[in-house]
Amino acid sequence: MHLAAADHPHRGGGGRAALGLGLGHLAAAALRREHRRRALAGGAVLASALLLVATPRLRHSPALHLFADMRNLLGVPNTLNVLTAYPLLLAGVPGLVLCLCGSGCFGISLRWEALGWFLFYAGNVAAAFGSAYYHLKPDDDRLIWDRVLDDMRLWVVLNSAPCIAIPAMLFLFPPKYTHSRFWFLATGFYLLARFEGLADRKVYSVNRYFISGHSLEHLCFAMVTLILTVMLSFRNVKIVRDS
């Protein structure tokens, strides 16, 4: 009896020690994850800066304004390139509205996360109008960004970085939300869009001049937005991981 009674404080102290050790391991793991995140972000910024410094200036060529499909249908210049810009608007506006509704719709729990998604959907809406405006009369005067900088290296970096960063983050860090596989699907459509844009004339000839690669590029970009909206609608916080 005395021995058993004497053992209780010892076991209680051991339990507290084990709990403290477990919490210490969790804190150390969280710190390591934070260090990896910072290292990844710093490495991406450094690689982008080195690419911009080490490569020659990539000037905008007037030939880039010559798209495969320049048909004038229904009195609208470059009709399909103009019209296919608006699915970005159709995909962006509902997402923007739902994003503004807050956690009730998308389960957005962090203020910076909400701001990021708001900027994403606002960018889609702006891109729809900007692309349609440009394709009505493609020239340097309607490319404000390139006209100011006269250098497309930053454009290349900004367009290629997500294709590398998003899969890398998915592999390196455990997801906070469910349905993270949608990121891979969205990245696939993004890469497909870029391929179709680069193969504008080839795609146009393959489908017997029905729709050009650049018009399909617009539609694939809209699919990226739609896929991410579906992901946000279905996802839940992964409680198991946080606990």
Side-chain angles (χ1 to χ4, degrees):
M1 292 290 293
H2 293 293
L3 289 174
D7 284 343
H8 285 301
H10 178 72
R11 286 201 295 267
R16 287 192 294 270
L19 178 60
L21 185 61
L23 292 176
H25 282 307
L26 289 176
L31 186 60
R32 286 194 297 269
R33 287 196 298 268
E34 183 62 24
H35 286 166
R36 287 203 302 269
R37 290 188 181 97
R38 292 182 179 181
L40 180 63
V45 172
L46 180 60
S48 300
L50 289 175
L51 180 63
L52 292 175
V53 172
T55 57
R57 174 176 290 186
L58 185 61
R59 297 185 181 277
H60 194 276
S61 171
L64 294 177
H65 299 307
L66 301 176
F67 297 94
D69 185 4
M70 304 186 74
R71 291 175 293 179
N72 187 327
L73 306 174
L74 306 174
V76 180
N78 307 306
T79 309
L80 288 185
N81 285 340
V82 172
L83 294 180
T84 54
Y86 284 105
L88 271 176
L89 181 67
L90 298 177
V93 169
L96 186 61
V97 173
L98 291 174
C99 188
L100 291 174
C101 292
S103 59
C105 294
F106 277 165
I108 297 174
S109 57
L110 301 176
R111 181 174 59 183
W112 291 110
E113 184 184 10
L115 177 61
W117 285 110
F118 173 81
L119 293 176
F120 169 74
Y121 284 112
N124 275 265
V125 173
F129 288 108
S131 180
Y133 171 75
Y134 164 73
H135 282 293
L136 286 171
K137 186 183 178 183
D139 57 25
D140 287 341
D141 291 335
R142 299 199 174 203
L143 286 178
I144 299 175
W145 182 275
D146 297 315
R147 185 183 181 190
V148 172
L149 297 177
D150 193 24
D151 189 352
M152 295 187 66
R153 288 179 299 175
L154 184 59
W155 180 89
V156 172
V157 169
L158 292 177
N159 280 271
S160 58
C163 299
I164 301 172
I166 292 175
M169 292 176 67
L170 289 173
F171 279 115
L172 292 176
F173 307 114
K176 180 180 179 181
Y177 297 101
T178 59
H179 296 85
S180 294
R181 64 183 181 276
F182 280 85
W183 281 109
F184 290 106
L185 186 59
T187 301
F189 268 95
Y190 184 88
L191 291 173
L192 178 61
R194 286 303 174 198
F195 170 78
E196 289 170 337
L198 292 173
D200 184 23
R201 297 184 182 280
K202 183 65 176 178
V203 172
Y204 194 38
S205 63
V206 166
N207 63 56
R208 299 183 181 274
Y209 307 101
F210 176 71
I211 186 170
S212 69
H214 191 76
S215 294
L216 289 173
E217 181 182 21
H218 289 170
L219 297 178
C220 283
F221 282 145
M223 280 297 301
V224 171
T225 305
L226 181 61
I227 289 168
L228 294 180
T229 302
V230 172
M231 179 194 74
L232 290 175
S233 301
F234 288 158
R235 73 177 185 171
N236 294 302
V237 177
K238 298 188 75 171
I239 303 297
V240 175
R241 174 203 163 204
D242 292 339
S243 60

